[in-house]
Each structure stands twice: as structure tokens, then as C-alpha cells.
Amino acid sequence: MKKTWRGLMAGLLGISMLLGSLGSVSAAATPKDIQGHWAQKQLQSWLDKGYLGGYPDGTVKPNKAITRGEYVALINRLFGFTETASISFTDVKSTNWVYSEVAKAVKAGYIGGYENNTFRANNPLTRQEAAVIAAKVLKLSTSSTTLKFKDSAQVAAWAKGAVVAAADKKIINGYPDGTFGPKRSLTRAEAVGIISNSVVYKPSGTGGVTPTPAPTATPAPTATPVPSTSPTATPVTGGSGGGTGGGGGGGGNVTLPSVSNVTYGHVGSVTADVYVTPSVTGAVYYVVAPYSINVTAPTVAQVKNGLTSAGTAGVHSGTIATTANTTVVFSVYGLSADTEYTVYVALADNSGNWSGVTPLRLKTAASSTTSLTQVGVESIGTVTAAVYAKYGQTEGLPAPLKYVVVKATEADPTAQQISEGKDSAGIVLTGTFAGPNSTVSPGVKHTFTLSGLTSNTAYKVFFITGSNGNFSPVEILRIQTK
């Protein structure tokens, strides 16, 4: 019940930040983060009229990505859509603030869900999705699919006619470099500009309110905007399963990448196993960041580059090749004990289409005086690999540090078996598949070279400290030779 209430309150906060009060007509103070912004005039007009709300810290966050749920709420309000349809999206609960907004949008016929019966309200809305919505709301002709942008090939087939129509009527402009950026996330400032430009063509009898249209078409920043990490309209709280999917969706019958069964398996003090089932063959990208309710999810581009939403490097990041509908497992490391993290996951297919960003929240195990404080991978070759580990504190007492290496397809050994250098069958491992054979100093990073591996093969490396049944949490590193 508490979780449901928190989710409901977060949603209500989000929509209150997005939408102001229609009763407000007095001039609002100019927020510091829109002063000098290319959309300052439009944003200020919306603030003055109460169409747009600010944040508690006095900002508007014009460059923050707007979600699908937030955008349909704006469209419904500004165009006067009030009738609702019966909806059954698996990821839109009736207790969620966005439920009624999605029901209105579906009834109005300008947006739909995805092939797996999800709506993905928290996914950022893309510019090509915004074009499709504009074309449907304004009943524009989408018969022409001749595009003149430099990146026209990146526009999805289901969106081409809408992009042409919206661009021809200057509802959505391209960027100064001649591109349209179809898959870029739409910002709050761009959303205000598009809706303001749309009112010129607003069909009669739709109700709603009529903001003053922009004197010129929506300009766009010359660089991809980076979302702020300040308090968000819809904070991502994560979870231990289920993907939000993503991509263009809602604009046509196109199968886009998505992930499901995003969850974790073994969690140690400084490592964790993550499981992902991709819908397409391609690659999964991930980045790890400390969990916080007030931090926005990174964009797909940021996840690909191993960055958080603040533009800084994540605690750990990587990529792994995937096969459609086959679960992949990877290790995240560089973590701290007894700490909450969010693993952000995104999927790309072999044609360059992307899913949205799916968050996975987890908490590492508590540590002891001799627990491992660091494990990781230094290098991977075809038949060799270099891994490292550190345990305890420099001034602490020495303790046995052991590791074993087995193929990823084999069962996991127990803590006692790892301490004895055995696999799950109780067979003593030899060579570099078990070690070290002598006590190593605490508080010092130790690198171990693994040789005699098989090329293009996945392995699991298990680390543990302690003896006589008094063991630290087991740490797992998954590696893949070249």
C-alpha cells in the first residue's frame, strides 16, 4: 500500500510540475534556467497563463526530456480532450495518475500502445512520435513521404508522412545542421513550442485552451540537450523486474527493441549478476549509478556511452551481445557494500533501432572486516584474462583469499567449495582455475592472470575470503573470451 501511495504521489507531483493552474493570468517571475534560452518567450507566456508549472526550486528545466505520459496530459488539456476509452495496458494501473490521461489519448485516437500491450508512459517521447501525434490531432495529410533532412533515412517508415506534414506546416522544425533528429527525446521547451505552433491548425470544436502561437517555428538547440539531475517530474524508482521497453512506438505497426525479465540473481558486497531477455538480436548496453529518488534516468545515448543523466561516468558500464528471446547474464562490479544502486539497461538491434531505458534497482550485501572490497576485470584475450581482487584493510589481519574459475554453463560451487578450490562437483581445480595458493596481503589490489581458457567462451570467476565456515559474501565476475 505504501509503495502504491508513493507512486501515486510521485505522479501527482510530476503532473503538477508540468501543468500549471488555468486560473492563473498574472505575470510569473522569470525562472533563472530559461533566461536567455531560445524558448524563453514561449515558456514565459505559458508560465504567465498557467499552462505550464515550474519546480519547487524555481526552475522549469526546459531541456529535460518529456515523457509520453506527460506529453499526452498536455495535449489533452490544451486541446480539450475529456472523453475516455477503456484501456488495459499492462503497465498503466488504474491507481496511476497517468491512467485517465492515457484513456483520453486513446479515445481521441492520436496515440496507441506497443505490440506487447504496454504503453510505456515513463519513456521519453521522441521527435518523430511528436510529429505523428500532431498529424493525428490536427488531421494533417500524411500522403507525402518525401523528406529533405540530412538524416531522413533515420525516420521510421510509420512516421515519415507525419514528419513531412508537421515540417511543411512549421509545427516541428529541423535543427540548424539540417537534421531532424527523429529519435531524439523531445524536451519540455520543444514540447511547448510544438503545441503552440499546432494551435494555428487546431480543428474547430475541440475545446481546450488556445495559447498564442509562436511567431516563428520551434527553434532547436544545436546540441543534444542533457536532462537535469534536479528534482524530476516523474522520478524513476526502479524495480526488480519487467522492462519499460521504449523506442518510437504508438505511431505505427513497427516492432521495436524491448527488454523483459530485467532482474538480478546473485548479489555480493561489490558485485551483482543482472539478467535481461532481449526481444531482438543485437546488443545490451548498461550503466550503473548510485540509487536516488531524485535522479532522472539517463538517455539511451548516455547509457550507450556509459554515462549517468548528469553526464558523468557511471560506477560501471558495458555492453554484451544478445540473441532475440535468449536471456543474457552479465556482472556489474565496482560497487560498495550495503549500498543501493540502479542499473540502467538499453537494447539496440542490428539495424540501429533502440529500446527505451529500463531501470533495475538493487542493494549490495553488508561487509565484514575481511570482506572483498574490490573485484574487477583488467583485460580479456582469446585464451587468457586478467582479473583483480582486494579484501580487508591495509592495517587489518591477513585472511585466506580464494578464487575458482568455471565455465558459465556449469553450476555454482558453494562457499566452502570455493574456499577449497573445488567446482560444484567437488573436483579440485588446478592451474589458474583456482588460487591463490598462498596468503595475500589485505588492503592491496592483487591481479591474477588466467591462462588456458577457451576462445569465445563465457566463464564465471568466484571470489571469497574467510575459512572454517566463516566466509565473506561470494563475489562473481562473468567474463567472455574473444
Side-chain angles (χ1 to χ4, degrees):
M1 179 63 185
K2 289 182 178 179
K3 183 176 180 181
T4 300
W5 177 249
R6 286 197 299 270
L8 179 60
M9 290 306 295
L12 291 174
L13 174 62
I15 198 64
S16 67
M17 294 300 101
L18 181 72
L19 301 174
S21 169
L22 284 178
S24 173
V25 293
S26 58
T30 302
K32 58 186 178 182
D33 65 340
I34 71 169
Q35 294 177 13
H37 193 277
W38 58 265
Q40 178 179 342
K41 184 175 180 180
Q42 289 172 279
L43 290 167
Q44 187 65 52
S45 175
W46 276 45
L47 288 168
D48 291 344
K49 292 178 173 63
Y51 303 154
L52 184 71
Y55 286 76
D57 61 358
T59 62
V60 171
K61 307 191 194 321
N63 294 335
K64 180 180 181 296
I66 193 167
T67 67
R68 284 164 56 88
E70 291 171 336
Y71 194 73
V72 299
L74 272 179
I75 292 290
N76 291 340
R77 184 172 188 181
L78 274 296
F79 281 82
F81 297 129
T82 58
E83 294 185 28
T84 59
S86 175
I87 59 173
S88 59
F89 297 117
T90 58
D91 58 346
V92 181
K93 299 184 182 301
S94 59
T95 54
N96 194 315
W97 69 267
V98 81
Y99 183 87
S100 62
E101 300 299 338
V102 174
K104 294 173 189 175
V106 172
K107 179 66 175 179
Y110 64 80
I111 197 169
Y114 289 75
E115 291 78 6
N116 62 351
N117 197 35
T118 60
F119 184 81
R120 306 172 194 177
N122 290 330
N123 277 21
L125 187 86
T126 64
R127 284 168 55 84
Q128 65 183 359
E129 282 183 305
V132 170
I133 290 174
K136 289 186 176 181
V137 169
L138 302 174
K139 304 186 187 317
L140 304 179
S141 171
T142 58
S143 57
S144 174
T145 56
T146 303
L147 292 163
K148 300 178 181 179
F149 298 105
K150 291 180 180 179
D151 57 351
S152 295
Q154 297 179 23
V155 179
W158 50 263
K160 285 186 177 180
V163 171
V164 171
D168 283 349
K169 294 188 177 297
K170 302 192 182 302
I171 292 170
I172 306 180
N173 273 357
Y175 287 85
D177 62 358
T179 63
F180 182 78
K183 297 178 182 178
R184 284 190 181 183
S185 297
L186 194 71
T187 67
R188 283 164 59 91
E190 288 177 318
V192 168
I194 290 168
I195 296 174
S196 291
N197 291 337
S198 296
V199 297
V200 175
Y201 307 98
K202 180 179 174 183
S204 60
T206 54
V209 296
T210 306
T212 304
T216 58
T218 310
T222 56
T224 303
V226 178
S228 168
T229 56
S230 302
T232 70
T234 50
V236 176
T237 57
S240 60
T244 57
N253 295 320
V254 58
T255 301
L256 295 164
S258 64
V259 292
S260 60
N261 304 319
V262 181
T263 187
Y264 55 83
H266 179 85
V267 178
S269 294
V270 293
T271 62
D273 270 352
V274 177
Y275 297 78
V276 178
T277 303
S279 65
V280 296
T281 297
V284 161
Y285 294 80
Y286 59 90
V287 63
V288 184
Y291 167 77
S292 173
I293 194 171
N294 289 326
V295 172
T296 57
T299 64
V300 166
Q302 288 173 321
V303 172
K304 180 181 179 182
N305 293 321
L307 303 176
T308 68
S309 60
T312 57
V315 173
H316 179 58
S317 62
T319 181
I320 183 168
T322 64
T323 301
N325 303 312
T326 301
T327 298
V328 296
V329 189
F330 55 88
S331 294
V332 294
Y333 54 89
L335 312 181
S336 298
D338 198 25
T339 303
E340 288 188 279
Y341 291 91
T342 303
V343 183
Y344 297 101
V345 178
L347 169 67
D349 65 19
N350 291 331
S351 297
N353 298 306
W354 283 85
S355 71
V357 177
T358 298
L360 171 66
R361 182 177 167 186
L362 57 84
K363 185 176 182 179
T364 53
S367 63
S368 64
T369 55
T370 58
S371 287
L372 285 137
T373 57
Q374 192 178 76
V375 297
V377 180
E378 284 195 347
S379 63
I380 300 289
T382 55
V383 294
T384 61
V387 298
Y388 60 85
K390 182 168 71 172
Y391 77 96
Q393 303 298 321
T394 305
E395 66 277 8
L397 296 174
L401 165 65
K402 293 287 186 178
Y403 73 81
V404 296
V405 183
V406 302
K407 288 186 177 180
T409 54
E410 297 180 25
D412 294 356
T414 65
Q416 183 66 47
Q417 287 172 325
I418 297 170
S419 71
E420 296 171 354
K422 299 177 180 178
D423 63 13
S424 61
I427 299 173
V428 176
L429 300 173
T430 59
T432 57
F433 289 86
N437 295 319
S438 59
T439 301
V440 296
S441 302
V444 179
K445 177 181 175 181
H446 300 277
T447 299
F448 306 104
T449 300
L450 312 177
S451 58
L453 307 180
T454 303
S455 63
N456 193 31
T457 302
Y459 290 90
K460 294 179 290 189
V461 185
F462 297 87
F463 291 93
I464 199 170
T465 61
S467 59
N468 301 321
N470 185 23
F471 300 117
S472 70
V474 175
E475 308 296 340
I476 303 178
L477 276 181
R478 293 178 181 269
I479 60 175
Q480 171 83 38
T481 54
K482 297 179 180 178

